[in-house]
């Protein structure tokens, strides 16, 4: 029970964002003014704070700040916030430095102006005071935690770490950061003195944790919703209305019109016989007689949808759009429905016109690269350009940047092209009948971090303005030769493989042809009666081998190279998801292990990955691994007997389990009581270990390690059964 003397600190409402993910709704209306149950979201937030006893508040505005200030004149509550306009972005925490007398405050509440919440924050304030914490972060359970910041806490709520917007492989809980904080004097003092821009998630809280400050988490009781996308915004409204349509002021709905699970802003008109399904319609829009607006459509303000026209699933109409009568509009690309970032790739499922889809994707990449940048492109086959590739090229050039055509290749070669070229992004594109897969590499040959994913998604939702001057196409020559030369360095000095006979399986593939050429350049003879046989993977990231009848899979080769690196350098980079036996072997050999994430999530991890690419390129490139392995054979530092010993020590079996929905994945993660160990869940059994790694596309990757194949197969069987049991 709270004391009657319990006094709440002042509140700061962050309301300066542009709301790009909510376009076209936010093209004319700032996020805090989007209607929830018919009135601005901001009013709900103010009433909630007022009900808890908050007496002072500051409203930090930026984008369309004057509209927010004007709207506040209509608010009838007692809590009247002081509006502070942020002229230049200072970051989510940096904007607090604009508050007069911030350094004199003992504590304050920070809430996001684009989220609806029903929490009572008095218990979080009490926790902060009881623990004398620098800050308390309010958490909520999310059905899909990716895209949110995760907080790693002990049983009493004490925070021990953060995972910022993780991939599925890094998800360890369904509790996410809501953007609602109780800040103490220590946090406020740090903010007032720090260099700007300054962000809570990326800067303030990690710095406080490193300094030894006490941070605590508190799960909020009640409903919370981040209205960051049109779909999330609509679903939040429907939950609050118990599934009823939301109609703004002055809406005119013909008696024969059909409306289901939709949100209509003020002054919308829907004509006779028209149908609107599961959509959001901006203010002053007219839907003509007999028109159909299909599911997941978002219509900006002051649009006209002509009579008997058809607007298909996922279409987004910018404010002021006029759709002629009897028109048919279909979405060329909807990132939420047709796009998915997974395992270093963007996977697309184009609907309808592939060229238009490619153009929108190309424009989004160009917008991410910036006006002074360029994009390099490799394709999986030598065949002519598809409609999607033509559209992609048109979109990139329309964005005003250059396109470097690198011809055919594979992902490992694209990573090299990214490191050796000057393009902002290097793309490797592989098309199948049903999907387009695009591997993305930054200038360092790495997959960009989560910030890129968000920026790309924002740009893909709206078509950026075309540049005044189109970009130009250039052809990159001799990329394959330069790549082969770089691979040769992995094999030692020129001619270091003389006396070795090698054979590369399936040399008709781009990967096999490049590896064969690199081996020849270093003096190896190529023959089907070889000392060494190589089987590279299609993406060039892994390779298997056979030497004198001894077969070694990728992880056995990996172990050999890791031990050799430990012997030469003393330090070895290893991914969290590599087999435990390799970690033990490297440590036993006196090597120091530096773990890394497969896909970097922040600047520190990106810098770490840049080091490993320079010092251990074979970690990312199976062809580089093959060349280094061949060099060890040629120099006599590795013999078949030693390889046999390694293969006897470990057996690794990897499979994917498909059709694992989000709910099943999340329930498995939440119930996991053993090690997370960086990436995935590590299950320990009598026969060995199984690492279960959740994937974005609805699958689980299983990696079992055991003494022999029979035990590894048994571990896979157990893990599959566990996943199936969770799905029941």
């Amino acid at each position: 029970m709270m004391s009657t003397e319990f006094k709440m600190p002042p509140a700061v409402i962050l309301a300066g964002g542009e709301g790009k993910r909510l376009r076209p709704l936010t093209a004319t209306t700032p996020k805090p003014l989007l209607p929830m149950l018919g009135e601005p979201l901001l009013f709900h937030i103010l009433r909630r704070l007022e009900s808890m006893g908050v007496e002072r508040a500051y409203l930090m505005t930026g984008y369309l700040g004057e509209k927010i200030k004007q709207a506040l004149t209509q608010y009838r509550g007692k809590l009247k916030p002081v509006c502070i306009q942020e002229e230049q972005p200072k970051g989510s925490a940096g904007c607090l430095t604009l508050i007069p007398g911030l350094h004199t405050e003992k504590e304050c509440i920070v809430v996001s102006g684009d989220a609806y919440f029903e929490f009572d924050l008095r218990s979080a304030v009490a926790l902060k005071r009881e623990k004398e914490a620098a800050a308390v972060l309010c958490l909520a359970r999310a059905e899909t935690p990716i895209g949110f910041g995760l907080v790693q806490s002990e049983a009493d709520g004490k925070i021990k770490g953060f995972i910022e917007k993780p991939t599925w492989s890094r998800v360890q809980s369904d509790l996410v950061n809501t953007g609602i904080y109780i800040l103490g004097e220590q946090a406020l003092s740090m903010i007032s003195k720090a260099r700007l821009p300054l962000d809570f998630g990326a800067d303030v809280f990690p710095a406080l944790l490193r300094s030894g400050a006490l941070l605590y988490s508190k799960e909020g009781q009640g409903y919370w919703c981040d209205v960051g996308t049109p779909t999330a915004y609509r679903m939040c409204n429907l939950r609050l209305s118990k599934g009823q349509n939301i109609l703004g002021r002055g809406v005119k709905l013909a008696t024969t019109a059909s409306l289901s699970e939709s949100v209509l802003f003020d002054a919308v008109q829907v004509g006779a016989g028209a149908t609107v399904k599961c959509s959001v319609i901006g203010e002053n829009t007219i839907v003509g007689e007999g028109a159909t607006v299909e599911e997941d459509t978002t219509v900006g303000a002051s649009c006209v949808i002509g009579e008997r026209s058809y607007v298909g699933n996922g279409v987004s109409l910018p404010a002021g759009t006029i759709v002629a009568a009897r028109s048919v509009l279909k979405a060329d690309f909807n990132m939420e429905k047709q796009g998915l970032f997974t395992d270093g790739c963007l996977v697309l499922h184009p609907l309808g016109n592939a060229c238009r889809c490619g153009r929108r994707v190309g424009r989004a990449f160009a917008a991410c690269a910036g006006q002074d940048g360029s994009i390099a492109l490799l394709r999986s086959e030598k065949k002519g350009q598809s409609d999607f590739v033509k559209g992609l090229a048109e979109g990139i050039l329309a964005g005003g940047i250059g396109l470097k055509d690198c011809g055919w290749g594979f992902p490992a070669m694209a990573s090299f092209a990214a490191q050796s070229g000057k393009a902002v992004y290097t793309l490797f594109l592989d098309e199948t009948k049903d999907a387009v897969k695009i591997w993305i590499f930054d200038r360092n040959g790495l997959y960009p971090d989560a910030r890129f994913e968000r920026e790309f998604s924002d740009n893909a939702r709206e078509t950026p303005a075309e540049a005044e001057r189109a970009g130009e196409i250039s052809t990159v020559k001799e990329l394959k030769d330069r790549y082969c030369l770089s691979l040769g360095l992995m094999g030692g000095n020129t001619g270091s493989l003389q006396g070795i006979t090698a054979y590369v399986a399936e040399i008709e593939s781009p990967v096999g042809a490049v590896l064969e050429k690199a081996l020849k350049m270093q003096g190896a003879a190529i023959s089907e009666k070889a000392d060494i046989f190589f089987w590279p993977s299609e993406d060039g990231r892994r390779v298997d081998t056979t030497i004198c009848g001894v077969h070694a899979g990728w992880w056995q080769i990996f172990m050999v190279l890791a031990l050799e690196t430990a012997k030469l350098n003393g330090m070895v980079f290893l991914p969290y998801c590599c087999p435990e036996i390799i970690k033990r072997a490297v440590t036993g050999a006196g090597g120091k292990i530096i773990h890394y994430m497969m896909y970097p999530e922040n600047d520190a991890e990106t810098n770490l990955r840049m080091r490993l690419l320079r010092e251990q390129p074979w970690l990312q490139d199976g062809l580089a691994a093959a060349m280094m392995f061949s060099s060890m054979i040629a120099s006599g530092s590795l013999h078949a007997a030693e390889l046999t010993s390694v293969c006897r020590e470990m057996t690794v079996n990897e499979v994917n389990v498909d059709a694992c929905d989000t709910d099943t994945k999340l329930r498995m993660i939440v119930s996991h009581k053993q090690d997370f160990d960086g990436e995935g869940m590590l299950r320990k059994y009598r026969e060995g270990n199984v690492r279960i790694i959740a994937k974005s596309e609805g699958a689980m990757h299983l990696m079992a390690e055991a003494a022999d194949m029979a035990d590894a197969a048994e571990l896979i069987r157990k893990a599959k059964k566990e996943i199936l049991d969770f799905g029941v």
Side-chain angles (χ1 to χ4, degrees):
M1 180 73 68
M2 297 292 177
S3 166
T4 55
E5 299 298 320
F6 189 88
K7 187 173 179 63
M8 290 289 279
V12 179
I13 304 169
L14 307 181
E18 293 184 39
K20 288 184 177 180
R21 291 183 299 154
L22 278 160
R23 297 282 176 89
L25 303 177
T26 49
T28 54
T29 303
K31 281 194 293 185
L33 297 186
L34 290 177
M36 301 292 291
L37 290 180
E39 69 171 355
L41 170 60
L42 177 60
F43 291 8
H44 290 273
I45 294 172
L46 290 171
R47 271 201 300 274
R48 177 63 55 183
L49 293 171
E50 188 177 323
S51 72
M52 293 181 283
V54 174
E55 297 176 351
R56 289 190 295 137
Y58 299 93
L59 185 63
M60 314 307 295
T61 60
Y63 175 69
L64 298 180
E66 283 301 316
K67 282 197 171 185
I68 296 175
K69 190 174 181 180
Q70 179 62 34
L72 281 173
T73 62
Q74 304 300 314
Y75 179 63
R76 301 302 176 220
K78 293 181 180 179
L79 184 59
K80 302 294 185 182
V82 176
C83 289
I84 300 177
Q85 177 72 15
E86 185 181 10
E87 299 300 337
Q88 295 293 330
K90 300 179 184 297
S92 60
C95 66
L96 270 65
T97 60
L98 297 174
I99 298 174
L102 174 71
H103 63 283
T104 65
E105 296 285 357
K106 301 295 183 184
E107 57 187 10
C108 79
I109 300 168
V110 175
V111 300
S112 172
D114 59 1
Y116 177 90
F117 71 96
E118 296 175 348
F119 303 161
D120 187 337
L121 301 180
R122 285 175 288 193
S123 59
V125 173
L127 176 64
K128 179 261 162 195
R129 293 171 181 172
E130 175 194 345
K131 301 293 186 180
E132 297 183 350
V136 171
L137 284 66
C138 295
L139 311 182
R141 297 194 181 275
E143 294 180 358
T144 306
I146 57 172
F148 296 102
L150 300 186
V151 178
Q152 298 169 300
S153 303
E154 296 176 0
D156 64 350
K158 185 179 178 181
I159 294 173
K160 57 184 180 180
F162 301 96
I163 305 175
E164 190 63 20
K165 296 180 176 60
T167 59
W168 266 109
S169 67
R170 292 272 284 141
V171 172
Q172 299 181 9
S173 168
D174 61 348
L175 284 172
V176 304
N177 183 354
T178 64
I180 302 174
Y181 315 124
I182 315 300
L183 303 182
E185 191 171 5
Q186 190 175 356
L188 292 171
S189 175
M190 172 182 284
I191 291 169
S192 66
K193 299 173 184 177
R195 181 181 297 177
L196 304 179
L198 192 68
D199 183 75
F200 280 114
D203 304 313
V204 175
F205 296 138
L208 285 169
L209 202 60
R210 288 193 299 270
S211 73
L214 289 175
L215 300 179
Y216 277 82
S217 63
K218 177 74 174 176
E219 182 179 352
Q221 302 302 311
Y223 182 56
W224 169 83
C225 176
D226 173 21
V227 294
T229 66
T231 298
Y233 168 72
R234 183 177 65 85
M235 296 306 294
C236 184
N237 265 286
L238 289 174
R239 175 174 175 134
L240 297 176
S241 70
K242 296 181 171 56
Q244 299 298 309
N245 293 309
I246 308 294
L247 306 182
R249 294 188 299 265
V251 168
K252 295 181 180 179
L253 193 64
T255 55
T256 56
S258 173
L259 187 66
S260 59
E261 298 184 16
S262 295
V263 179
L264 274 56
F265 286 23
D266 293 348
V268 169
Q269 300 179 42
V270 182
T275 300
V276 178
K277 307 174 186 175
C278 305
S279 295
V280 182
I281 310 295
E283 66 266 20
N284 299 311
T285 286
I286 298 173
V287 180
E289 293 184 3
T292 297
V293 178
E294 290 285 7
E295 297 179 6
D296 293 314
T297 293
T298 307
V299 181
S302 304
C303 292
V304 176
I305 298 175
E307 62 181 29
R308 291 176 175 74
S309 57
Y310 177 87
V311 181
N313 287 9
V315 170
S316 179
L317 296 181
T321 299
I322 298 177
V323 179
R326 302 178 187 274
S327 296
V328 175
L329 293 185
K330 294 184 179 179
D332 48 14
F333 178 64
N334 183 313
M335 187 63 196
E336 287 186 61
K337 301 295 182 182
Q338 299 163 251
L340 177 71
F341 286 106
T342 177
D343 296 337
C345 301
L346 171 61
V347 180
L348 306 170
H349 298 278
L351 296 177
N353 192 311
C355 185
R356 285 170 50 195
C357 176
R359 184 178 175 85
R360 179 175 285 270
V361 171
R363 294 291 301 282
F365 274 119
C368 291
Q371 285 294 313
D372 297 326
S374 62
I375 290 176
L377 177 64
L378 290 85
R379 299 185 299 281
S380 60
E381 297 183 44
K382 297 181 181 179
K383 64 184 181 182
Q385 288 189 349
S386 67
D387 288 342
F388 181 87
V389 172
K390 290 176 182 176
L392 181 71
E394 289 175 5
I396 291 171
L397 298 176
I401 68 171
L403 175 62
K404 299 177 183 292
D405 186 355
C406 298
W408 61 272
F410 44 91
M413 185 171 163
S415 178
F416 168 79
Q419 296 171 69
S420 60
K422 296 182 179 179
V424 178
Y425 299 113
T426 297
L427 313 179
F428 171 76
L429 188 145
D430 185 28
E431 291 184 82
T432 64
K433 182 180 179 181
D434 302 316
V436 176
K437 203 170 186 179
I438 303 175
W439 279 259
I440 307 163
F441 302 93
D442 64 14
R443 286 189 173 102
N444 302 308
L446 297 172
Y447 179 70
D449 63 24
R451 289 170 295 190
F452 163 80
E453 294 183 3
R454 183 159 184 157
E455 183 181 4
F456 178 89
S457 298
D458 289 345
N459 290 325
R461 286 185 181 93
E462 56 176 333
T463 304
E466 292 196 6
E468 293 182 3
R469 182 177 179 181
E472 297 180 354
I473 297 179
S474 59
T475 301
V476 177
K477 298 179 180 179
E478 300 177 348
L479 174 63
K480 184 172 71 173
D481 291 338
R482 287 190 283 113
Y483 180 46
C484 287
L485 285 171
S486 76
L487 290 174
L489 296 176
M490 299 295 102
N493 298 324
T494 303
S496 61
L497 299 185
Q498 288 183 359
I500 291 291
T501 305
Y503 182 74
V504 182
E506 300 182 12
I507 60 171
E508 296 303 318
S509 71
V511 184
V514 170
L515 179 55
E516 183 183 271
K517 183 172 182 178
L519 289 165
K520 284 181 178 178
M521 289 173 67
Q522 286 300 98
I526 304 299
S527 170
E528 293 186 16
K529 297 179 180 180
D531 305 312
I532 310 175
F533 290 81
F534 286 114
W535 287 268
S537 62
E538 288 187 4
D539 61 7
R541 295 298 186 89
R542 292 188 176 190
V543 66
D544 290 0
T545 188
T546 295
I547 303 176
C548 301
V550 180
H551 181 76
W554 167 247
W555 288 114
Q556 279 102 3
I557 294 175
F558 193 102
M559 186 168 180
V560 168
L561 299 182
L563 290 172
E564 179 71 3
T565 302
K567 182 172 70 174
L568 296 174
N569 302 333
M571 183 179 67
V572 184
F573 292 97
L574 294 179
Y576 279 104
C577 60
C578 86
E580 297 299 298
I581 191 172
I582 297 179
K583 299 176 185 179
R584 292 194 296 268
V586 169
T587 302
K592 178 185 176 182
I593 297 174
I594 299 179
H595 288 109
Y596 68 90
M597 303 294 173
M598 291 302 293
Y599 304 104
E601 294 170 359
N602 53 48
D603 290 337
E605 290 174 11
T606 296
N607 292 335
L608 187 64
R609 294 289 301 282
M610 288 167 59
R611 280 186 60 194
L612 73 87
L613 277 179
R614 291 193 301 270
E615 298 173 29
Q616 292 175 223
W618 54 268
L619 288 167
Q620 296 270 106
D621 190 331
L623 276 63
M627 296 299 293
M628 183 174 174
F629 192 83
S630 299
S631 176
M632 291 177 67
I633 296 292
S635 66
S637 61
L638 177 67
H639 302 281
E642 295 173 71
L643 184 61
T644 300
S645 176
V646 169
C647 293
R648 283 175 179 168
E649 287 181 29
M650 65 178 295
T651 298
V652 178
N653 190 0
E654 294 182 87
V655 299
N656 285 326
V657 178
D658 295 322
C660 181
D661 60 29
T662 298
D663 181 61
T664 299
K665 287 190 293 190
L666 200 53
R667 282 190 288 115
M668 282 195 69
I669 290 168
V670 171
S671 67
H672 182 65
K673 303 302 181 186
Q674 297 185 37
D675 295 338
F676 277 100
D677 189 30
E679 288 186 282
M681 299 167 280
L682 189 63
R683 293 284 210 265
K684 297 177 180 179
Y685 299 94
R686 178 182 57 80
E687 298 89 349
N689 300 324
V690 181
R691 187 177 294 275
I692 304 174
I693 302 175
K695 313 290 275 187
S696 298
E697 69 275 22
M700 290 283 200
H701 181 74
L702 309 182
M703 185 174 72
E705 53 177 306
D708 55 46
M709 189 55 74
D711 281 348
E714 175 61 15
L715 290 172
I716 292 292
R717 187 195 67 77
K718 287 183 176 180
K720 282 184 175 180
K721 183 178 184 304
E722 184 179 356
I723 293 170
L724 292 173
D725 288 346
F726 266 97
V728 174

